[in-house]
Amino acid sequence: MSVDTRQRKAERIRHLLETEGDSVHKNTQVFNNGRYESTADLEDYEALKDEARAIKEDAIERLPELVDRVTETIEANGGTVYVADDAADANRYVTEVADGRDVVKSKSMTSEEIEVNESLEASGSDVWETDLAEFVLQVADEAPSHIVAPAIHKSREEIAELFNAYFDPEKPLETAQELTQFAREHLGEKIADADVGMTGANFVTADTGTLALVTSEGNARKCVQATDTHIAVAGVEKLVPRVEDLQPFVELIGRSGTGQDITSYVSLFTPPGDSPTFDGDGELGSGDDREFHLVLIDNGRMEMREDDQLRETLYCIRCSACANSCANFQHVGGHAFGGETYSGGIATGWEAGVHGADSAAEFNDLCTGCSRCVNQCPVKIDIPWINTVVRDRINRGTDGDLDFLVDGLTPDEEPGGVDLQKRLFGNFDTLAKLGSTFAPLSNWVAQTGPARSLLERTLGVDSRRELPAFERESLVEWFENRGPRVDPEEARRQVALYPDAYTNYVRTERGKAAVRVLEALDVRVDVPAAGESGRAPLSQGMVATAQSNAEDVYDSLAPAVAAGHDVVVVEPSDLAMFHREYERLLPEDEYAALKDRSYEVMEYVYGLLENGADLDALPEGDDTRIAYHSHCQQRTLDLEPYTVAVLEDCGFDVTTSDVECCGMAGSFGYKSEYYELSVDVGEALVDQFTTENTADRTVVASGTSCLEQLDALLARRPAHPVRLLDTR
């Protein structure tokens, strides 16, 4: 990426932070918190997600069969089904059906995808969006910034200013009620005059030809009932086998998207209907001549179905939970974290599949792989993995003319076209080894003005971000010189402490503390010379390198695992690799063996204490006041409670952060194009740790990135929780 491109990205993000960030953050927080509250009321939340996932897996597997089935069903009912190969094919058919007549539309992201409005208007139709937010954007001539709440980036004041300028009402509009009433009256007239109603479909049942629409305003019903011709556009992936299959989705979609137990309107249409229509003079028609056209759109979806890595994208029910739960999206919205049509974490899969990799490349790096979205997705899509795979394909799709220069000369498995910034951060283990070997000289050189300027110009490493200082003696070297201190015959357990790159070369003090704490609880510790887990290259989309790293790490830890020893991990993101990503990078038996025996260090301490280890062997907290922030992937793995419980058992007074993300996200916060976004996300955590209740507390965090961000933004230096348990 060139310097100019990085600067343009940084300027774009800065602009959106200033103009749209507050509205997006406020509204996504409402949705996010609502989801937590609403799903907590479900006794069978995980079971519902499993059921929904199974239905989607089955539907996509049987998709050609379901297309044939729904075609037969709808045509038997008197309707028409058209399967469109692509956007142009779909638009040709829709414009032929509309034939220049006026069209009113309810919200449909699929219609946004194919840009049907433009085609209809070019053919002479007058087209109006009847969803309030889509209407606002139509008047503003703007693209949606959210797949459920498309105008989430606009405040009430901005909408009032827009309407007053565009429509020039007799009395200026100000309140939400006035704006809504004006839109209702204006659009009511458009609906009454229209001949064609267009909707999307959240789901289409193949057995009955029923369309399920989940809405908040009821406008979809009006568009269908008040017009003679109903055109529904839907991706082929919206098909489910039976009408009974709708149940788990109706339970989940509102809760997952907007935090509502159920949306205001759940409409089931089995068209063509026989209810009377209304003409422009308010006269009732017979309804006998109703037309219904279902346009099922492929537009790359069948190819996605055959793609093992993108196939999961087709399980998406467009609920927006991945966007609402993502810290980066919460601060900049879909105008940055989105492509031609779709936004949020799942957008990478959609954009790559229907618009191409170039569209996905524009925003793909905003997904940091933190995994917060994974537990929120109602159909359990591995969204971070889809983003990683697409990033890898983008890397490999770049100019490979320099492959011969890097073949065998770089410590990774990637082609020559990979961006140098990605290559730098993806090879952090090698960089750290070199930094440690030449420390402290390497640290001094890296901090000089010319070096920082060069790093920013050539590699996009922001000069405002403090670089890590490497230790001359690594953790592995320290342990080799020191040796274990607990006799194996007297040990309660035996463990291999995994030396992640930061713990091994940068923050060695937390590794040493972990060794001493475990030994105080009668655990025999070994620190094998295992390399970087693969997290660093995986975050850059360097999948082959991550797999190579994973294989090397397993080989280093395999003797301990085979001997029945446990593996203890200090850095939560590396434990997440062992428990999640290694399933895709290692053979099944190796993955299972390592997952079953690996633990986060504070989780392991908790287990020891629960199973009889002596609490008195650890230092007394004496009500020392602690402000604790847990790592994103630590929360995804549900490990935060162990740290809190251990600290409280030791006598510390602990308060925890409600802020879910620190904003650093590994290398993300170092990149000049994303530095200001990283800090903006981090400021929310700073605010929480500088209140009257927290300003004087010792700040504690489990993740490397969290520690770095807090260290940069707070006046007091944070510590890893295991250091509080160390007697030294």
Side-chain angles (χ1 to χ4, degrees):
M1 188 186 301
S2 68
V3 175
D4 288 344
T5 300
R6 288 196 175 94
Q7 288 178 345
R8 282 196 299 272
K9 277 199 170 188
E11 289 169 3
R12 174 67 173 159
I13 287 172
R14 189 182 306 119
H15 171 73
L16 291 173
L17 285 171
E18 293 172 354
T19 58
E20 300 182 1
D22 288 344
S23 293
V24 172
H25 188 254
K26 177 182 177 181
N27 289 307
T28 51
Q29 285 291 297
V30 170
F31 293 159
N32 205 37
N33 293 333
R35 185 187 63 253
Y36 286 136
E37 293 173 7
S38 181
T39 57
D41 293 335
L42 290 171
E43 293 181 3
D44 54 354
Y45 181 40
E46 291 301 321
L48 276 173
K49 291 200 289 185
D50 288 336
E51 184 182 0
R53 168 83 183 201
I55 291 169
K56 290 297 290 187
E57 285 181 348
D58 175 59
I60 298 305
E61 179 64 28
R62 297 166 50 198
L63 195 52
E65 170 196 334
L66 296 184
V67 171
D68 291 341
R69 177 76 187 279
V70 79
T71 300
E72 293 172 5
T73 302
I74 288 177
E75 291 182 349
N77 290 343
T80 303
V81 176
Y82 185 77
V83 181
D85 292 334
D86 53 27
D89 189 19
N91 288 333
R92 178 194 57 76
Y93 182 83
V94 170
T95 54
E96 287 179 0
V97 171
D99 193 26
R101 294 177 292 170
D102 291 350
V103 179
V104 285
K105 293 177 66 222
S106 69
K107 179 181 175 296
S108 165
M109 289 305 297
T110 307
S111 73
E112 294 278 355
E113 175 190 320
I114 64 174
E115 298 182 333
V116 70
N117 288 21
E118 290 82 347
S119 294
L120 285 167
E121 289 167 349
S123 68
S125 292
D126 191 19
V127 183
W128 284 96
E129 299 284 354
T130 65
D131 174 86
L132 179 57
E134 289 284 4
F135 174 57
V136 168
L137 297 183
Q138 183 178 22
V139 172
D141 193 23
E142 292 180 11
S145 63
H146 190 278
I147 62 174
V148 170
I152 198 172
H153 59 286
K154 285 195 171 295
S155 67
R156 175 184 58 80
E157 293 80 7
E158 289 172 321
I159 296 171
E161 182 179 353
L162 172 70
F163 277 18
N164 288 327
Y166 190 89
F167 294 107
D168 192 23
E170 292 183 8
K171 180 183 177 182
L173 305 170
E174 294 182 4
T175 68
Q177 182 177 354
E178 290 171 347
L179 292 166
T180 304
Q181 183 64 31
F182 175 84
R184 180 183 292 117
E185 293 173 359
H186 181 85
L187 293 173
E189 294 174 3
K190 299 299 181 183
I191 291 171
D193 292 340
D195 300 303
V196 179
M198 181 177 290
T199 70
N202 293 96
F203 309 97
V204 181
T205 63
D207 61 341
T208 62
T210 300
L211 276 63
L213 278 80
V214 182
T215 64
S216 297
E217 300 171 25
N219 57 304
R221 294 180 179 183
K222 293 181 180 180
C223 290
V224 171
Q225 296 301 103
T227 55
D228 296 325
T229 302
H230 175 196
I231 304 172
V233 294
V236 290
E237 84 285 354
K238 297 295 184 71
L239 287 166
V240 295
R242 308 172 307 147
V243 71
E244 291 86 353
D245 293 329
L246 297 174
Q247 186 268 333
F249 298 108
V250 172
E251 290 275 13
L252 289 167
I253 193 167
R255 287 180 163 92
S256 300
T258 56
Q260 298 169 277
D261 292 348
I262 191 168
T263 54
S264 303
Y265 299 89
V266 178
S267 304
L268 302 181
F269 298 107
T270 306
D274 56 5
S275 60
T277 57
F278 296 86
D279 64 24
D281 298 322
E283 298 294 326
L284 288 175
S286 67
D288 294 336
D289 56 350
R290 280 186 177 276
E291 289 183 42
F292 172 64
H293 300 261
L294 173 61
V295 184
L296 290 173
I297 296 172
D298 179 354
N299 204 32
R301 287 164 172 80
M302 287 302 189
E303 287 187 19
M304 292 167 69
R305 178 176 173 268
E306 299 301 319
D307 187 321
D308 289 342
Q309 306 298 345
L310 290 185
R311 184 187 181 103
E312 263 195 299
T313 306
L314 298 175
Y315 303 162
C316 171
I317 63 172
R318 312 272 179 85
C319 70
S320 79
C322 59
N324 298 335
S325 61
C326 172
N328 284 340
F329 187 96
Q330 288 171 1
H331 286 253
V332 293
H335 288 158
F337 201 151
E340 293 183 34
T341 304
Y342 299 102
S343 59
I346 196 62
T348 287
W350 281 120
E351 291 292 325
V354 304
H355 293 309
D358 287 346
S359 180
E362 289 298 313
F363 64 93
N364 171 255
D365 283 345
L366 284 169
C367 173
T368 63
C370 76
S371 76
R372 286 173 59 193
C373 57
V374 173
N375 292 355
Q376 316 311 328
C377 177
V379 284
K380 297 188 172 182
I381 300 172
D382 192 346
I383 295 169
W385 182 256
I386 292 173
N387 276 272
T388 299
V389 167
V390 172
R391 194 171 300 161
D392 181 76
R393 293 177 181 181
I394 293 168
N395 288 345
R396 293 178 180 278
T398 52
D399 186 2
D401 291 343
L402 300 178
D403 284 2
F404 74 97
L405 288 177
V406 302
D407 188 23
L409 297 180
T410 58
D412 57 54
E413 307 294 326
E414 309 306 314
V418 176
D419 182 77
L420 289 177
Q421 184 192 70
K422 292 185 184 296
R423 181 158 258 138
L424 171 76
F425 289 119
N427 287 297
F428 179 75
D429 194 46
T430 299
L431 179 66
K433 287 178 186 176
L434 290 171
S436 177
T437 299
F438 294 102
L441 178 63
S442 57
N443 297 324
W444 179 83
V445 171
Q447 296 294 352
T448 61
R452 294 310 306 266
S453 178
L454 182 65
L455 283 170
E456 185 157 31
R457 289 200 317 273
T458 60
L459 299 171
V461 179
D462 200 284
S463 59
R464 291 167 288 185
R465 184 70 73 177
E466 184 177 351
L467 298 177
F470 301 107
E471 297 284 346
R472 180 59 179 264
E473 181 183 55
S474 70
L475 177 66
V476 170
E477 291 169 343
W478 170 83
F479 189 82
E480 287 176 351
N481 294 330
R482 172 189 182 272
R485 299 292 172 87
V486 176
D487 190 293
E489 299 299 323
E490 299 177 1
R492 178 182 296 275
R493 304 286 296 177
Q494 296 194 53
V495 307
L497 181 70
Y498 171 65
D500 65 88
Y502 249 80
T503 302
N504 196 26
Y505 297 112
V506 183
R507 293 184 178 266
T508 59
E509 75 284 349
R510 69 185 184 188
K512 296 172 185 177
V515 170
R516 290 191 288 262
V517 168
L518 293 170
E519 288 178 342
L521 298 174
D522 298 322
V523 175
R524 181 177 174 85
V525 181
D526 182 35
V527 183
E532 200 274 331
S533 70
R535 173 63 65 192
L538 201 69
S539 69
Q540 310 304 314
M542 298 163 60
V543 175
T545 303
Q547 183 166 18
S548 177
N549 286 22
E551 292 166 353
D552 291 343
V553 167
Y554 182 80
D555 289 344
S556 299
L557 298 176
V561 173
H565 300 170
D566 300 318
V567 176
V568 175
V569 184
V570 175
E571 168 57 36
S573 64
D574 289 304
L575 183 70
M577 285 289 290
F578 295 175
H579 283 215
R580 285 178 39 79
E581 283 83 3
Y582 274 21
E583 183 175 12
R584 299 179 183 272
L585 301 175
L586 291 178
E588 183 177 355
D589 59 333
E590 294 180 359
Y591 159 72
L594 183 55
K595 179 186 177 185
D596 289 346
R597 300 210 71 93
S598 55
Y599 305 87
E600 191 259 346
V601 61
M602 296 298 285
E603 173 195 17
Y604 199 75
V605 169
Y606 175 87
L608 292 170
L609 295 174
E610 285 292 296
N611 287 278
D614 185 7
L615 180 63
D616 292 338
L618 301 177
E620 177 63 45
D622 294 325
D623 290 325
T624 301
R625 288 159 56 81
I626 301 297
Y628 174 61
H629 175 71
S630 65
H631 188 275
C632 291
Q633 283 151 332
Q634 193 179 20
R635 294 182 189 228
T636 302
L637 296 173
D638 199 24
L639 299 177
E640 178 186 20
Y642 298 115
T643 298
V644 174
V646 169
L647 292 176
E648 289 181 341
D649 286 347
C650 288
F652 293 93
D653 177 2
V654 183
T655 187
T656 59
S657 70
D658 294 331
V659 176
E660 294 181 300
C661 184
C662 72
M664 187 66 185
S667 62
F668 183 80
Y670 283 100
K671 297 179 178 180
S672 58
E673 59 268 39
Y674 303 125
Y675 172 80
E676 288 171 77
L677 173 56
S678 170
V679 170
D680 195 67
V681 174
E683 289 293 345
L685 182 56
V686 170
D687 290 343
Q688 194 154 93
F689 281 175
T690 51
T691 66
E692 184 176 348
N693 180 46
T694 57
D696 64 342
R697 289 178 179 263
T698 299
V699 176
V700 177
S702 296
T704 297
S705 296
C706 312
L707 289 164
E708 288 189 314
Q709 183 79 305
L710 288 165
D711 197 15
L713 301 180
L714 286 175
R716 55 202 195 275
R717 186 171 177 81
H720 190 283
V722 78
R723 296 193 66 194
L724 275 62
L725 307 184
D726 184 16
T727 54
R728 296 194 183 184

